[in-house]
């Protein structure tokens, strides 16, 4: 090792050289950028179109920030033959830098260059302290808030207002890579090759590049909660380092920034992470536990648990548990459990919360104490109050109401169901609204649909069904006005009548349902079950159940006549033992007799 107090025992410092970028593509012809390409004349073509065609021809993707590369700008270029790197340099100009990772070529806007100078190094065998300064190569001014880090031991710091820094390295390796990143500057690395320790094993490379997400370049910083706990220095670190990340077997932190990886924690993916109060890391590939909160820039796999909340900037695969809330800005595959709230872009699995679940798409199950919401394709939803889904493929079970764009399964609610498109079946305590219903639509009060063959409710407003008002009479002398409404098969009836010859119970009301056995343009045959209550509107009542067989004849498009026999059963008749029609049996206020019903109806 090389230390000031031990210079006499040091063989030599082999070299200290400044290299531009962590992986200098100008020095290393790699698999993508070193490929030969041949391009014909380009005349006023959108840059984005040229890049897409280059991706297609070479089998990789470009990664860049949308605000730094104007894909709509028109470019022109003469015929070219050479390497892909030279083509991109001519196409985009000297202000852009190009790196490659498996499957990607990264484009960075770097119009400026910087210079790093090491002033001093000191320490012991276990700890090395480096100091230096980062300056603008053009004007020599110190660069403030540039990220300086050692990419093997994963320690970092930010420069002060004059560009000065101090970097503390524990257990330094034989090779030390001091890298400087600053937004809009080319990456710069100083490499120290120290005397080789024979018995020391090389550390494995643990770096990788995560392509920029053009839809979400700020990641977890879009969350108000995350911004509150992430310091401004850590946000600057994210901007400077961009998509550069590293792996580590573990990390321990008290709060974000006070961790075993220090300021570099936001760029490290750990296999195990323990946050006493809370932590901010790049991601987890194993287990992460926190007393209060976990914040992750990218992905979480397997298990994440927090006493209060979890916030993940990309995807979660596995189990996520929080006392209050889980927020995932990408997709989840597995399960989210929270005391109050779960949120994700797309959920494959389950969301369970005490209050609210939110997911743009759901392939699985949502269970919430109050509300579930999914605006896209939705599996099944169960809540104590309301479910709101997009294209629901399973079941919606809500204590109060359900709403969806379409549902191929079933909606069950205490008050209301609503589906604006195709619908399987609906069951509610009050009313249902739907487009085309393929199954049953059942409500205590009202059903509304574009089409439904099997509505069950007091009133059924079916656009492609049948509705009618009729004036009718029967063997008892009651004259009624009856409203019938329903679909192609089932319908309901509501009626009110008066019997001028009955001075005891002159008023009557009817409620029931029926089946259209035959329904043509000129003839119909219906079977209906009706319940009638004869009353004086005070204390005297008589109940009647009727099974009616009605044949109808159309006189025009809207007018028809109908008539047919009925089988009637009177029960609990306390005011009379005289009954109309053909009496089959009577005993102690009950009677069974044959009657008839006839009338005229207006149909639409």
């Amino acid at each position: 090792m090389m230390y000031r107090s031990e210079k006499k025992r040091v063989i030599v410092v082999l070299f200290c050289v400044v290299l531009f970028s962590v992986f200098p593509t100008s020095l290393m012809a790699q698999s993508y950028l070193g490929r030969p390409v041949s391009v014909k004349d380009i005349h006023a073509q959108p840059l984005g179109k040229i890049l897409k065609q280059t991706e297609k021809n070479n089998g990789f993707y470009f990664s860049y920030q949308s605000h730094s590369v104007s894909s709509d700008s028109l470019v022109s270029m003469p015929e070219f033959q050479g390497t892909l790197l030279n083509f991109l340099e001519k196409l985009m100009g000297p202000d852009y830098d190009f790196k490659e990772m498996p499957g990607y070529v990264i484009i960075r806007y770097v119009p400026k260059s910087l210079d790093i100078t090491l002033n001093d190094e000191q320490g012991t065998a276990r700890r090395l302290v480096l100091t230096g300064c980062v300056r603008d190569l053009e004007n020599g001014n110190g660069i403030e808030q540039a990220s300086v880090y050692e990419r093997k031991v994963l320690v970092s710091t930010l420069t002060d207002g004059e560009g000065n820094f101090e970097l503390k390295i524990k257990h330094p390796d034989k090779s030390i890579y001091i890298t400087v990143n600053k937004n809009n500057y080319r990456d710069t690395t100083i490499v120290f090759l120290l005397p080789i320790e024979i018995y020391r094993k090389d550390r494995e490379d643990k770096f990788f590049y995560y392509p920029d997400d053009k839809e979400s370049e700020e990641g977890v910083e879009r969350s108000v909660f995350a911004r509150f706990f992430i310091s401004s220095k850590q946000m600057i670190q994210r901007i400077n380092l961009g998509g550069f990340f590293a792996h580590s077997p573990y990390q321990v932190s008290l709060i974000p920034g006070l961790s075993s990886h220090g300021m570099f924690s936001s760029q490290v993916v750990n296999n195990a992470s323990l946050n006493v109060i809370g932590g901010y890391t790049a991601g987890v590939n194993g287990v992460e536990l926190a007393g209060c909160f976990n914040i992750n820039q990218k992905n979480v796999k397997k298990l994440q648990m927090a006493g209060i909340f979890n916030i993940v900037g990309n995807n979660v695969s596995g189990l996520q548990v929080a006392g209050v809330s889980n927020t995932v800005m990408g997709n989840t595959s597995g399960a989210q459990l929270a005391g109050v709230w779960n949120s994700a872009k797309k959920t494959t699995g389950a969301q369970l919360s005490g209050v609210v679940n939110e997911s743009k798409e759901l392939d699985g199950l949502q269970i919430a104490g109050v509300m579930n919401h999914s605006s896209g394709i939705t599996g099944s939803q169960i809540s104590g109050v309301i479910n709101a889904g997009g294209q629901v493929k399973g079941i919606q079970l809500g204590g109060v109401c359900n709403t969806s764009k379409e549902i191929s399964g079933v909606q069950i609610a205490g008050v209301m169901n609503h589906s604006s498109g195709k619908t399987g079946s609906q069951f509610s305590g009050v009313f249902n609204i739907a487009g085309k219903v393929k199954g049953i639509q059942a409500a205590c009060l009202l059903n509304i649909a574009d089409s439904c063959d099997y509505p069950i409710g007091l009133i059924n407003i079916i656009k492609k069904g049948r509705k009618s008002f009729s004036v009718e009479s029967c063997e008892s002398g009651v004259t009624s006005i009856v409203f019938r409404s329903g679909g192609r098969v089932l319908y309901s009836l509501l009626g009110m009548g008066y019997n001028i010859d009955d001075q005891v119970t002159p008023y009557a009301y009817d409620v029931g349902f029926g089946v259209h056995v035959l329904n043509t343009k000129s003839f119909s045959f219906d079977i209906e079950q009706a319940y009638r209550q004869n009353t004086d509107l005070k204390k005297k009542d008589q109940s009647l159940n009727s099974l009616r067989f009605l044949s109808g004849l159309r006189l025009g498009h809207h007018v028809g006549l109908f008539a047919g026999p009925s089988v009637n059963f009177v029960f609990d008749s306390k005011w009379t033992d005289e009954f109309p029609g053909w009496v089959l049996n009577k005993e102690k206020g009950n009677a069974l007799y044959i009657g008839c019903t006839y009338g005229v109806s207006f149909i639409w």
Side-chain angles (χ1 to χ4, degrees):
M1 306 295 292
M2 182 183 73
Y3 308 109
R4 171 169 297 198
S5 61
E6 301 176 348
K7 285 185 177 180
K8 292 183 179 180
R9 291 184 293 169
V10 175
I11 298 176
V12 67
V13 175
L14 297 179
F15 61 84
C16 175
V17 62
V18 176
L19 303 176
F20 290 94
S21 81
V22 177
F23 301 99
T25 53
S26 60
L27 301 178
M28 300 167 59
Q30 299 186 20
S31 57
Y32 299 137
L33 296 175
R35 290 179 180 177
V37 295
S38 178
V39 181
K40 296 181 180 180
D41 289 345
I42 299 173
H43 178 68
Q45 292 290 321
L47 177 60
K49 181 179 179 180
I50 298 172
L51 293 178
K52 287 183 178 179
Q53 186 60 46
T54 305
E55 289 178 338
K56 182 178 179 181
N57 293 341
N58 291 276
F60 62 79
Y61 296 97
F62 285 110
S63 173
Y64 54 85
Q65 293 182 334
S66 56
H67 61 78
S68 64
V69 177
S70 178
S71 58
D72 295 331
S73 61
L74 301 179
V75 296
S76 298
M77 181 177 169
E79 183 178 350
F80 173 84
Q81 286 188 345
T83 65
L84 178 60
L85 175 60
N86 292 334
F87 170 69
L88 294 174
E89 290 174 341
K90 289 182 177 295
L91 179 70
M92 305 192 69
D95 291 341
Y96 289 89
D97 179 49
F98 310 96
K99 295 188 181 73
E100 61 177 86
M101 290 288 171
Y104 292 91
V105 169
I106 301 100
I107 303 174
R108 295 178 64 242
Y109 179 64
V110 287
K112 302 178 182 180
S113 298
L114 53 80
D115 177 55
I116 178 174
T117 302
L118 287 181
N119 299 328
D120 197 8
E121 69 278 344
Q122 56 184 339
T124 66
R126 294 179 176 273
R127 191 167 182 263
L128 178 65
V129 179
L130 298 177
T131 60
C133 186
V134 179
R135 293 184 174 87
D136 188 296
L137 191 62
E138 183 176 350
N139 55 37
N141 295 331
I143 299 176
E144 182 180 7
Q145 294 184 329
S147 294
V148 183
Y149 63 94
E150 206 293 324
R151 64 188 183 91
K152 286 198 172 184
V153 295
L154 307 179
V155 294
S156 67
T157 187
L158 292 175
T159 57
D160 61 18
E162 297 179 352
N164 298 315
F165 68 88
E166 180 181 89
L167 191 64
K168 300 176 182 178
I169 303 174
K170 294 181 180 180
H171 306 291
D173 204 349
K174 66 180 183 295
S175 300
I176 300 175
Y177 292 77
I178 306 301
T179 303
V180 183
N181 291 96
K182 176 67 176 176
N183 196 34
N184 292 336
Y185 282 84
R186 291 182 182 272
D187 299 348
T188 301
T189 298
I190 291 181
V191 181
F192 286 94
L193 297 182
L194 301 180
I196 299 174
E197 298 178 8
I198 296 175
Y199 298 105
R200 188 181 182 103
K201 293 183 178 180
D202 293 341
R203 293 185 178 97
E204 294 181 358
D205 287 342
K206 44 192 172 184
F207 324 111
F208 66 98
Y209 182 85
Y210 198 101
D212 292 319
D213 183 354
K214 300 180 180 61
E215 297 181 356
S216 167
E217 291 177 356
E218 293 182 355
V220 293
E221 293 169 20
R222 290 184 298 156
S223 166
V224 175
F225 288 108
R227 287 201 304 269
F228 181 81
F229 290 100
I230 299 173
S231 68
S232 59
K233 289 185 178 180
Q234 288 174 305
M235 292 185 185
I236 292 169
Q237 183 92 295
R238 180 196 65 77
I239 295 172
N240 289 340
L241 299 183
F244 178 79
F245 293 91
H247 288 289
S248 177
Y250 68 90
Q251 78 92 32
V252 179
S253 72
L254 180 63
I255 59 174
L258 294 179
S259 77
S260 56
H261 295 318
M263 287 284 297
F264 205 80
S265 63
S266 63
Q267 304 301 121
V268 181
V269 177
N270 305 282
N271 294 335
S273 178
L274 176 62
N275 303 309
V276 179
I277 296 176
Y280 176 35
T281 69
V284 179
N285 283 332
V287 178
E288 184 169 49
L289 306 175
C292 293
F293 64 87
N294 295 306
I295 301 174
N296 305 92
Q297 224 192 119
K298 296 299 181 181
N299 299 322
V300 169
K301 296 180 180 180
K302 296 183 180 178
L303 175 64
Q304 185 180 57
M305 300 180 68
I308 299 178
F309 67 84
N310 295 305
I311 299 177
V312 178
N314 209 338
N315 303 324
V316 171
S317 175
L319 177 62
Q320 191 179 43
V321 183
V324 177
S325 68
N326 292 308
T327 302
V328 178
M329 297 176 183
N331 305 327
T332 65
S333 176
Q336 285 183 309
L337 283 73
V340 177
W341 183 49
N342 289 311
S343 174
K345 187 175 180 181
K346 179 180 178 180
T347 299
T348 303
Q351 286 183 315
L352 291 83
S353 78
V355 181
V356 177
N357 290 312
E358 168 76 23
S359 183
K360 290 185 178 180
E361 290 191 14
L362 171 68
D363 183 7
L365 175 65
Q366 285 180 322
I367 301 176
V370 176
M371 176 180 144
N372 292 309
H373 178 261
S374 175
S375 56
I377 297 174
T378 306
S380 295
Q381 297 175 312
I382 302 173
S383 78
V385 180
I386 182 173
N387 293 308
Q391 297 179 358
V392 181
K393 294 184 176 181
I395 183 173
Q396 280 187 316
L397 178 60
V400 177
C401 67
N402 298 306
T403 180
S404 68
K405 292 181 180 178
E406 291 186 3
I407 178 167
S408 57
V410 181
Q411 287 181 317
I412 303 173
V415 177
M416 180 197 83
N417 290 309
H418 175 266
S419 176
S420 55
K422 295 180 181 179
T423 305
S425 294
Q426 293 178 314
F427 302 90
S428 77
V430 181
F431 66 96
N432 296 308
I433 300 174
K436 181 179 180 180
V437 180
K438 295 183 178 180
I440 297 172
Q441 194 179 43
C444 293
L445 178 61
L446 174 66
N447 291 308
I448 299 175
D450 181 71
S451 65
C452 178
D453 290 344
Y454 305 98
I456 302 172
L458 289 178
I459 300 174
N460 304 293
I461 308 301
I462 311 301
K463 183 178 180 181
K464 296 180 180 179
R466 176 178 171 180
K467 298 168 284 294
S468 68
F469 274 109
S470 64
V471 178
E472 59 190 65
S473 188
C474 65
E475 72 290 331
S476 64
V478 175
T479 300
S480 304
I481 297 177
V482 179
F483 174 64
R484 289 176 173 85
S485 60
R488 187 178 61 87
V489 178
L490 294 182
Y491 65 91
S492 65
L493 63 93
L494 287 173
M496 297 181 64
Y498 184 78
N499 190 341
I500 194 171
D501 296 326
D502 188 346
Q503 301 301 313
V504 180
T505 55
Y507 303 101
Y509 62 84
D510 294 332
V511 61
F513 65 92
V515 179
H516 295 303
V517 178
L518 182 65
N519 188 14
T520 67
K521 291 183 178 180
S522 57
F523 183 77
S524 65
F525 178 69
D526 301 329
I527 300 174
E528 61 186 37
Q529 171 68 45
Y531 170 81
R532 170 173 291 175
Q533 187 77 17
N534 298 305
T535 179
D536 65 351
L537 302 179
K538 293 180 182 180
K539 295 182 179 181
K540 298 178 180 180
D541 296 289
Q542 184 185 70
S543 300
L544 173 69
N545 270 321
S546 298
L547 180 63
R548 303 168 181 169
F549 303 87
L550 304 177
S551 298
L553 179 65
R554 288 283 187 96
L555 301 180
H557 190 66
H558 294 292
V559 179
L561 300 175
F562 64 91
S566 63
V567 179
N568 306 281
F569 176 66
V570 179
F571 57 94
D572 197 25
S573 178
K574 299 178 181 179
W575 316 110
T576 181
D577 59 358
E578 296 295 327
F579 303 101
W582 178 17
V583 178
L584 301 178
N585 182 54
K586 65 177 181 177
E587 180 180 351
K588 296 181 181 180
N590 300 325
L592 178 67
Y593 67 90
I594 303 296
C596 64
T597 301
Y598 51 91
V600 59
S601 59
F602 177 77
I603 306 165
W604 74 97

